[in-house]
Amino acid sequence: MSPPNQYIADQLRHLVYYHLDNNLPNNAAFVAGRLHAYEPRSSEASCLLALCHIRLGELKAAYDISRTSGARGSHLGCAYTFAQACLGLGRFKEGINALDRSKMQWSTRNSWNKHSESTRKALPDASAVWCLLGKLWSGYKDIKKAIDCYAQALTHNPFMWDAYIGLCDTGASIRVQNIFRANPEMLAMLSAKTPLDSRTESMTILEEPTPRPAPLQSQRSVNSSLAPSMTDPFGASNGRGQEQGTSNAGNGGLFRKFNESALANLGSIGGSRNHGREATETPTANTHTEQSARTVNHSLVPTVAEPPQAPMRRARTAQPHFETGTDGPPKMRSASVRSRGRRGDDAEASDVSTTTSQSSAHPEPSSLHGHSEPSSVHGHPERKRTVSGQVPPTNTSRSNDPNLAPQRRSDRLLNQIRPISNKWSSATGGIGSREGRELRKAKATGTKGRVGSTTASNGGRVVSVNRRPMEVMDVDAKEQRPPLPTVAVAQSEASNNNKLDISKQQEALQWILELFSKLGHGYFCLTHFHCEKALQIFGTLPTPQRETPWVLAQMGKANYEQASYKEAEENFAKLRGLAPARMEDMEVYSTVLWHLKKDVELAFLAHELMDVSRLSPQAWCAIGNSFSLQREHDQALKCFKRATQLDQNFAYAFTLQGHEHVANEEFDKAQASYRAGIRVDCRHYNSWYGLGKVYEKMGKYATAEKHYKTAAQINSRNPVLICCIGGVLEKLRQPSDAHEQYHRACELAPRSALARFKKARVLMNMQEPGLALSDLMILKDIAPEEANVHYLLGRLYKMLRQKANAIKHFTIAMNLDPKAGAYIKTAIESLEDDEDDEDFDGIS
């Protein structure tokens, strides 16, 4: 069999990721099967196929496919997928071993802030693997190692919310403020990340794209800080010569661009300010020196009808080989250029610089003292020439030849006035440089009115009429201002934008961390049953964050734990309005309605949940609670058993099942159900409470006290659990210990009628009628229409020998509860007796 073609495998992998990204797991599994068949020994192909099966919920298939490479830890992707399958299948130890064997591959990986719409990290990083390990150890019932793994996950990435939830559910004591904060690694990654998109955008705006082989503007930005380079634009070692469009040897590409495009629009060597406007002065020198100063590759310069542009003046030391009499390579010129060169020697002494038009319809501009004239009609400016038509050379080349005629006085004055004009002009606009022309155009707005010219009628000469030196100095003073270093400014702005972007990213990170800190602190308080504090923290959230299904569910559970069923119902009702299809925490909502005795609302909720998902344990728990409220315990048991069949780790369904067995007085079955709930979640205090209630009904008070205390250790702020402990101690003839528990319950819930009633009763048994009276008066305000309260008040006034008050409250109790009339009449008839009545349990 021939080796697999890598390109075919790459295409198949791309298809798999395409279908996975578009949430098409069936298509992805089919293509992954083709890839696995094409590369049967590839661990990556096995990983992708196993991942597709996990997306489809086929855990056993994913386990079998990824086992070969995943179990031994040779491929990180396979090991991670294999561990996920093991978590779902309950094979926790196998998944733990696979991840431990591949630890060298993931222990140093960190993919935080590296995911976006266009990039992905296919392999998990250390935080994700630590989180999965924590779940595996939690399923293996090794809580200590699970806590360590969750802590490691949050250390690498504080946004690993799943790890934080698992850590809180274990009951570990943590400092929330130390978790949700940016670690040094995150800050370093933010600082190191460069906003390339914004930088590219700014450079695109400032640098127009040109067909040059290299970005000349960027070269200028690199060398703009080198002052000596500006004095020698023609130097062979100077990189700015290429950027300005000067004639350097070996710069054939630049001159190809010049001859192709710039000759069509001559006169831009000094950087034209506008189309048809020229800002170069008229050089007066011999043509031979100008031609010999250029070192251009002949093969790159075609023969043209017009002469090439004259170069800008250069320093005397720019070309040392001219001083030694060594000429550059000869320059090929057209016939018209050669003929004009022959005529140029006779016209050197002319006082007025003129230009000859190529045609009468296109007059050529002429300018003296650096002023520019309007261009031709079609916007094609021409270089200035003498009356002979020859382009004059620069003064630098003239000074190097002692045989030439002496320089004119006007030229000497011009050289003294404008020594660096062309240098700055060339710095902003090179030969054929569109960027330079655009910059000159932007700088020269409103300059058309400065130049006055008249066209003479003799020979088509155009003579400048503005020869005043002050005007020249004004223009030169403006031109001597260095041009704005466009790319340097762009890079500076990009650097500032980079710093600003990093600062904004850090602010955004801090805002998200603060939000996570509030949510995490509230959830931590809820899992540790500090419900009042949890409600306060959730209340400080911004309204858009507070009015979300998850936060409303946590607030509803906090109110439920406080026995504030009305408030809990409001939270869950609002949640249902926002997310009608949410199934999570609906079993708590159904229990709230059960406590409120709202059978219609409970039945309606059960039907709605069944319409959403018939295979959710929450829906079956709601149906079971509805049957339980109607006293149909057998039907309720069937529903709760169905819920445990759908999810064997649903501890609350086992607890509700135990409650129904207690109602049927099936204590053995109730114990089995409660123990099943504890086996699933050892911190499920409701199951511990149920076991204590079973033992209390069976008369095993010491065992009941033990289970009640275990439940109270988990939920130490539940007044009902503390009252249960006090009731057991009271039955064990330990009234002082019972009073201590009742007192603690009243401190936790000052408006708890049950705790206040039992405390008053134990004080009466302890012969403390005065203390009992103060608690009963508070209780009367809390529950004014409770018959048991008034009956207990009647007994207390009987102990205090206040018969009138005793008869009053006995009568009120009889009116509130006519069914207990016989019992209350017996108490009234015994007012003359010194013996006290038998103990009355009252509210149970």
Side-chain angles (χ1 to χ4, degrees):
M1 180 179 177
S2 61
N5 188 335
Q6 187 62 33
Y7 294 99
I8 296 177
D10 289 342
Q11 288 294 330
L12 289 173
R13 274 191 289 270
H14 294 164
L15 287 174
V16 173
Y17 284 121
Y18 168 80
H19 291 304
L20 288 176
D21 290 342
N22 288 279
N23 196 23
L24 301 171
N26 288 312
N27 293 349
F30 177 78
V31 179
R34 302 316 100 213
L35 176 62
H36 188 263
Y38 190 72
E39 290 183 333
R41 297 183 180 181
S42 173
S43 298
E44 186 177 358
S46 301
C47 174
L48 286 176
L49 184 57
L51 178 62
C52 294
H53 283 293
I54 284 183
R55 297 283 183 91
L56 291 170
E58 301 170 354
L59 299 179
K60 188 61 172 63
Y63 173 88
D64 294 335
I65 294 169
S66 60
R67 182 176 183 179
T68 303
S69 299
R72 62 173 181 264
S74 59
H75 187 268
L76 176 58
C78 284
Y80 188 76
T81 308
F82 178 74
Q84 286 181 317
C86 290
L87 177 65
L89 295 174
R91 303 180 180 183
F92 307 112
K93 194 61 177 178
E94 293 184 41
I96 292 171
N97 293 335
L99 293 179
D100 286 340
R101 293 188 182 111
S102 62
K103 189 172 184 179
M104 295 297 295
Q105 303 179 44
W106 55 262
S107 58
T108 58
R109 293 177 61 90
N110 190 349
S111 301
W112 178 81
N113 207 29
K114 296 180 181 178
H115 290 258
S116 65
E117 302 88 359
S118 58
T119 60
R120 72 138 53 96
K121 297 292 182 181
L123 297 179
D125 62 350
S127 180
V129 179
W130 280 119
C131 181
L132 181 57
L133 270 174
K135 295 179 181 180
L136 290 168
W137 281 116
S138 180
Y140 196 66
K141 304 305 178 184
D142 194 333
I143 303 301
K144 184 177 180 180
K145 290 185 178 180
I147 291 174
D148 294 339
C149 292
Y150 287 140
Q152 286 289 340
L154 291 169
T155 301
H156 287 81
N157 185 359
F159 299 109
M160 190 60 66
W161 184 254
D162 214 8
Y164 181 79
I165 294 295
L167 188 63
C168 291
D169 290 341
T170 59
S173 180
I174 58 178
R175 295 182 179 179
V176 181
Q177 64 273 15
N178 291 340
I179 293 178
F180 296 104
R181 63 180 182 181
N183 53 46
E185 186 178 0
M186 296 172 63
L187 295 177
M189 292 175 69
L190 276 182
S191 301
K193 185 176 180 181
T194 304
L196 296 177
D197 296 338
S198 60
R199 177 179 298 178
T200 304
E201 182 181 356
S202 63
M203 295 299 289
T204 302
I205 294 173
L206 295 174
E207 295 181 15
E208 296 181 3
T210 60
R212 289 185 175 85
L216 302 181
Q217 288 281 39
S218 61
Q219 297 177 13
R220 178 168 60 207
S221 67
V222 175
N223 299 326
S224 60
S225 61
L226 303 177
S229 64
M230 300 182 66
T231 62
D232 188 14
F234 294 100
S237 61
N238 186 6
R240 290 177 64 85
Q242 296 180 5
E243 167 236 324
Q244 294 170 347
T246 57
S247 55
N248 288 347
N251 196 12
L254 179 61
F255 270 90
R256 181 187 296 111
K257 172 66 180 176
F258 165 72
N259 285 287
E260 289 175 357
S261 61
L263 281 179
N265 189 8
L266 295 175
S268 62
I269 189 168
S272 60
R273 300 182 182 219
N274 203 341
H275 292 291
R277 188 169 292 272
E278 194 170 357
T280 58
E281 62 182 0
T282 305
T284 58
N286 139 340
T287 308
H288 175 72
T289 307
E290 182 266 343
Q291 295 296 336
S292 64
R294 299 194 181 192
T295 56
V296 185
N297 190 352
H298 301 288
S299 62
L300 299 177
V301 183
T303 301
V304 292
E306 293 295 330
Q309 299 175 356
M312 294 172 292
R313 291 196 305 271
R314 50 185 174 79
R316 183 171 297 180
T317 60
Q319 301 284 350
H321 58 275
F322 288 127
E323 296 179 1
T324 60
T326 304
D327 293 334
K331 170 100 176 184
M332 293 183 64
R333 294 180 296 167
S334 63
S336 61
V337 174
R338 287 196 295 270
S339 63
R340 290 174 185 174
R342 286 193 297 269
R343 294 195 303 268
D345 297 333
D346 301 331
E348 253 184 11
S350 177
D351 292 334
V352 181
S353 176
T354 62
T355 60
T356 57
S357 302
Q358 189 172 0
S359 64
S360 60
H362 301 281
E364 296 179 356
S366 174
S367 132
L368 289 176
H369 308 295
H371 292 284
S372 60
E373 290 293 325
S375 65
S376 62
V377 177
H378 298 285
H380 298 286
E382 299 283 346
R383 288 288 299 146
K384 292 182 185 178
R385 285 179 283 277
T386 60
V387 291
S388 63
Q390 179 63 36
V391 179
T394 60
N395 289 332
T396 304
S397 59
R398 164 181 278 277
S399 63
N400 293 336
D401 194 348
N403 298 326
L404 297 177
Q407 191 177 21
R408 293 183 307 181
R409 180 174 177 272
S410 61
D411 292 338
R412 289 198 302 271
L413 290 175
L414 286 175
N415 291 335
Q416 292 176 4
I417 293 173
R418 302 183 60 181
I420 60 173
S421 172
N422 280 343
K423 177 171 62 180
W424 286 111
S425 299
S426 62
T428 58
I431 295 176
S433 173
R434 190 175 68 181
E435 293 88 345
R437 290 197 301 273
E438 294 298 329
L439 290 173
R440 300 281 299 191
K441 185 192 302 182
K443 290 167 57 179
T445 56
T447 59
K448 288 187 177 182
R450 299 179 186 174
V451 181
S453 62
T454 178
T455 305
S457 61
N458 49 353
R461 294 182 181 181
V462 181
V463 182
S464 173
V465 299
N466 192 353
R467 295 176 176 269
R468 289 177 296 177
M470 293 303 295
E471 294 294 327
V472 175
M473 293 183 66
D474 290 341
V475 174
D476 291 341
K478 293 182 180 180
E479 291 195 3
Q480 285 178 5
R481 291 182 298 179
L484 293 176
T486 309
V487 180
V489 172
Q491 288 187 346
S492 176
E493 291 179 357
S495 177
N496 294 334
N497 291 338
N498 187 10
K499 294 179 181 179
L500 181 62
D501 185 75
I502 292 175
S503 176
K504 289 184 177 180
Q505 287 187 12
Q506 290 179 351
E507 291 178 1
L509 177 64
Q510 188 62 33
W511 187 89
I512 297 173
L513 286 171
E514 290 179 358
L515 175 63
F516 271 59
S517 180
K518 288 183 179 180
L519 294 172
H521 198 188
Y523 187 79
F524 172 78
C525 293
L526 179 59
T527 54
H528 287 71
F529 303 101
H530 299 284
C531 301
E532 188 66 31
K533 189 175 182 181
L535 289 171
Q536 293 177 0
I537 294 172
F538 288 134
T540 61
L541 290 171
T543 302
Q545 296 292 333
R546 186 173 64 251
E547 301 296 328
T548 54
W550 187 86
V551 176
L552 290 173
Q554 308 312 310
M555 295 176 69
K557 289 193 291 185
N559 284 313
Y560 164 74
E561 294 293 343
Q562 287 186 315
S564 301
Y565 301 123
K566 287 286 186 183
E567 292 80 359
E569 182 191 11
E570 293 177 0
N571 295 133
F572 283 114
K574 189 179 294 184
L575 183 156
R576 292 286 300 167
L578 291 175
R582 180 185 171 94
M583 303 300 297
E584 190 178 0
D585 302 317
M586 288 299 102
E587 73 281 0
V588 181
Y589 185 25
S590 64
T591 304
V592 169
L593 295 176
W594 185 91
H595 282 287
L596 292 174
K597 310 300 182 185
K598 294 188 175 182
D599 52 349
V600 177
E601 290 82 354
L602 181 54
F604 182 71
L605 173 65
H607 281 288
E608 282 191 325
L609 295 178
M610 287 296 291
D611 291 339
V612 174
S613 177
R614 297 181 61 88
L615 299 180
S616 64
Q618 294 86 356
W620 287 98
C621 285
I623 296 176
N625 279 328
S626 180
F627 281 120
S628 176
L629 188 58
Q630 298 172 12
R631 306 287 182 178
E632 298 182 14
H633 302 296
D634 293 335
Q635 295 295 329
L637 275 171
K638 292 180 181 179
C639 295
F640 295 140
K641 287 181 179 179
R642 178 57 178 162
T644 57
Q645 290 173 355
L646 292 171
D647 187 359
Q648 297 180 0
N649 294 322
F650 200 66
Y652 193 63
F654 287 108
T655 301
L656 294 176
Q657 187 177 335
H659 291 341
E660 297 305 314
H661 284 302
V662 170
N664 287 336
E665 297 185 353
E666 298 172 346
F667 299 130
D668 293 338
K669 293 182 179 179
Q671 290 182 33
S673 298
Y674 290 135
R675 290 193 177 103
I678 294 172
R679 184 172 60 252
V680 171
D681 184 7
C682 61
R683 294 192 73 248
H684 192 61
Y685 76 92
N686 305 80
S687 294
W688 290 104
Y689 162 79
L691 279 175
K693 183 64 67 176
V694 168
Y695 285 115
E696 183 181 1
K697 289 184 175 293
M698 294 174 63
K700 300 179 180 180
Y701 302 122
T703 308
E705 179 191 1
K706 178 182 177 181
H707 287 83
Y708 282 144
K709 286 184 176 180
T710 303
Q713 288 176 359
I714 299 171
N715 187 358
S716 59
R717 305 182 66 84
N718 192 321
V720 176
L721 291 176
I722 298 174
C723 288
C724 289
I725 297 173
V728 173
L729 292 174
E730 200 174 352
K731 291 178 179 177
L732 290 173
R733 304 298 177 182
Q734 300 177 13
S736 298
D737 296 337
H739 173 263
E740 183 179 351
Q741 296 295 328
Y742 294 143
H743 180 71
R744 182 185 170 195
C746 290
E747 288 180 346
L748 292 175
R751 298 190 62 82
S752 174
L754 176 65
R756 191 76 61 179
F757 180 85
K758 290 191 174 184
K759 180 184 177 183
R761 190 181 62 184
V762 76
L763 286 173
M764 290 174 61
N765 293 335
M766 294 172 63
Q767 302 300 318
E768 295 287 346
L771 296 176
L773 180 61
S774 61
D775 285 319
L776 284 175
M777 296 305 294
I778 297 173
L779 182 60
K780 186 183 69 171
D781 296 334
I782 296 173
E785 296 183 359
E786 181 60 44
N788 289 330
V789 174
H790 292 280
Y791 177 79
L792 195 59
L793 273 171
R795 286 183 54 202
L796 180 61
Y797 283 122
K798 178 182 175 181
M799 292 177 61
L800 294 174
R801 305 296 180 181
Q802 298 180 12
K803 295 183 179 180
N805 290 329
I807 294 174
K808 172 184 174 182
H809 286 285
F810 280 143
T811 305
I812 295 173
M814 186 181 300
N815 294 332
L816 292 174
D817 189 4
K819 295 181 179 179
Y823 192 83
I824 297 173
K825 286 180 181 180
T826 304
I828 294 174
E829 292 173 357
S830 63
L831 286 176
E832 301 295 333
D833 299 338
D834 294 334
E835 297 180 359
D836 194 11
D837 297 330
E838 60 182 4
D839 292 342
F840 178 68
D841 292 336
I843 301 175
S844 56

